[in-house]
Amino acid sequence: MVSQNRIANHAWNLLTSLASYRENDNTNERPIIFVCHSLGGLVCEDALVTSRQRPEQHLQNILRSTCGIVFLGTPHHGAGLAGWAELLSRSIGLVKQTNSKIIEVLRRDSEVLARIQDSFHTMIMARSKEGLPPIEITCFYEELPLPGVGVVVPKDSAILPGYIPIGIHGNHRDMAKFTGPDDPGFVAVCGELRRWIRDANAAERRHVNPLPSHDLDMEGQPGTANQFGDGNRMFASFGGLQKNIEGSNYESVGGVMNIVNNINRVSAEESAPSSKVSREIPFPRNEDIVNRAHIFARLDTLLPPKSEYQSAALWGLGGSGKTQVALKYAYRRCRDDPACSVFWVHADNETTFAHDYKTIARKLGLGKLDGEKLLIAVREEMESMPSWLLILDNADDLTLFGAGQTPHNTLHGQNDRSTSLYNYVPQGGTGTATVLWTSRDQRIVGTLVGSRRGIPVGEMEPVEARKLLEMSRNETISNEEAVDAEKLFKELQWLPLAISQAGAYLRRTSTSIREYLSKLLEGKRRWRVLQATEFDRHRRHGVPNSVLETWSISIEYIRLDNEMAYKILHIIAFVNNQNIPFEIIMAAGLYSKEERGDLGGNEDRVVEAVTRLKEFSFLGFLGRVGDTRSYEMHKLVQEATRYGLSRRNPENEVYFSGTALQIMAELFPEPKREAWAECEKYIAHAVQVGEWAEVCNRKAEVSDLLTRVSHYLYGRGRWRENERVDQRAYDLRREVLGEKHPDTIRSIVNLAVTYHQQGRYAEAESMKINVLELQREVLGEKHSDTIESMADLAITWNSQGRQDNAIGLMNKCLRLRQTVLGPDHPFTKQSAQTLNCWKNG
């Protein structure tokens, strides 16, 4: 298409020229930051999309090297492209002769923008899936109208969802011009670039001589992508030189590289106290992190700024925010101690540990070492530094570091390690030396750090949860939404990852909190909502980001480390998550697949399994009532465990849900008065396993268990609870046994009695009439159950004030009982007594 080709031609020229000059100047390894104004942003996006699509390595390297893009007034999306084209033409035309062909293309073909945006976002997502670092993006939008023209690119068109939007107090033309280093617009753009450059590898930072101007006008803007101004010029600066790009009528003038130079100079000054100061943090600073005051207060207490070696560990459930707390702490140390070197190591397995140590070795200029020599050299170099911080993130497999009894390696299948990675963790220093661990395994406390040097990272405080939802949703919670928000936090059990993703979902889909909550509470849609994810530049690529997937790694550790703990986890995922008696856990741990119902075994093994689940925060100890110990399981952990079974191993889902049913059928006693205390202990769990009748395909057994539960609730007069139980039992029996089966009819009777006891006589009457008709058909008029149903219906009619009907039906019941049971039978006498009572008033 002509329109696509004209945009694509400029993108191609930018891509090939940039790649050529990087080859010529030997700057292929340097990171790239694009600064784009107006339509130049579209050319930049198309160039990066082309970079990904091309087979040539030197062209692909442009995308791989890109670490940031600043968009200044770029029209990203919207329906009024033709109008923008006209405004852009007029606004640019007020100053310079512009590229009329591109404006004309945009004026008449709005599909160009859609094509570029779709390809650009697809490329961004694919880049994430391929394990490449995220591209930082900030969108600046104009706050003032252009005289005689108006706002050229409105805010909603100039921003990209999910990325930082910042307003510049200027019009479309002047937003790229700054009066000096104190200009608010310059400070805002400079701040974003400074943040990105600090995150780039120090060895790859550009050091460019300052230029005299702070002008970001469209008239020849420097940087890796420019705007369409005088003669459709672009500027490129590589290796400290400014060059015209041949064949495209581009020329160089001062501008953006002055910003980059100022930023590099500031960054250098901030890190200048020691030539050995080095920092390797794989994530950008998270400006949106919620301050969890009690956690940071504890960190400050355990890791004060003093000249000695000290360590601490953040531990807690996956998704509780440990990495984000560590990230904020790392950047705080950078800010508060400019002489402090900061290093980040992913400690989840030997491969990531060695890879990150190798990266640090390059940063420290340790030469071409490898293997154990490299690990030792990095450790010794850190220990020689006057001030350093090492963060060991995701140290979930403690056996890697010599802790634990069962060595294993999930990646390599090794069962024995002659050398612990702990040998390569620095153990001291000449000044302030700090090691901060993060782990899902509480056992890190007392092993890799002191027994008093652990910091639990768990549920958010209500104020913290509210701030996080508002931030991720990008909208304040109104007073009308406050109640729904509180319900949502409870449903998500105050888990930061779940709250953050809920906010992202709300923002992306324009869904209200109430709508989202209703989807969560609707079983069929719940998983679809919870498994939704959004790209997060502050989380490592390749690590599960969905609430339902985030614990899969920990569950795999459990399976390899303690098979009984793994079994318990999957069985109790099908009971109620609160007040789980130890007896259920014991039965789950000792349940034998080969010999169903065999509960013999070793209690000590169960206690050890429970301990492992507690250490991974999968189980929490609630307390002891009498001789009963009770536990709780995070509701979302249960959800994730069931989700993992359904997606990866449906056969085990059937087995574990069936096992939970079998255990509850054995533990829930016959509902005699002397057993009421035991019934109460297990009732919530018996009701919960009833939800999985379809999963385990044992509907008849579930209905039998629920009938026992119903009898207990009947004896206690808890009719509202009983209604749900009776309805479920009836539905299951009707489906499995049919409407006319005696057990099904008994379930209808139970439900009718429950309605009657709540004063819902009309509903009770309808069901009792149905029962009576079925029993007459199936059992006959003179069957004792049929006669009993007559008496029940008569009682309902009497309660409704229909005395004539009630007396007539009870008369019939009395005659049948006299014939079938005899005049002296207790039921006969009871019918006679009831009839006399009604007749006499």
Side-chain angles (χ1 to χ4, degrees), residues 621-650:
F621 180 62
L622 287 178
R624 185 189 295 268
V625 178
D627 294 332
T628 300
R629 287 170 282 172
S630 293
Y631 297 82
E632 64 177 344
M633 186 176 181
H634 199 290
K635 191 173 185 178
L636 292 180
V637 172
Q638 280 191 318
E639 197 97 41
T641 304
R642 296 194 300 266
Y643 175 83
L645 287 173
S646 71
R647 291 297 185 269
R648 301 182 185 93
N649 200 330

Side-chain angles (χ1 to χ4, degrees), residues 48 146 173 180 219 223-224 267 419 457 506 522 578 619 650 683 724 726 736 757 771 783 824:
L48 293 178
L146 190 65
R173 180 186 62 198
E219 179 180 346
T224 35
S267 297
T419 304
V457 181
L506 297 177
E522 185 180 332
Q578 291 292 317
L619 268 186
I683 185 170
R724 175 189 167 198
D726 284 338
V736 175
Q757 293 296 335
V771 167
H783 192 280
D824 296 327

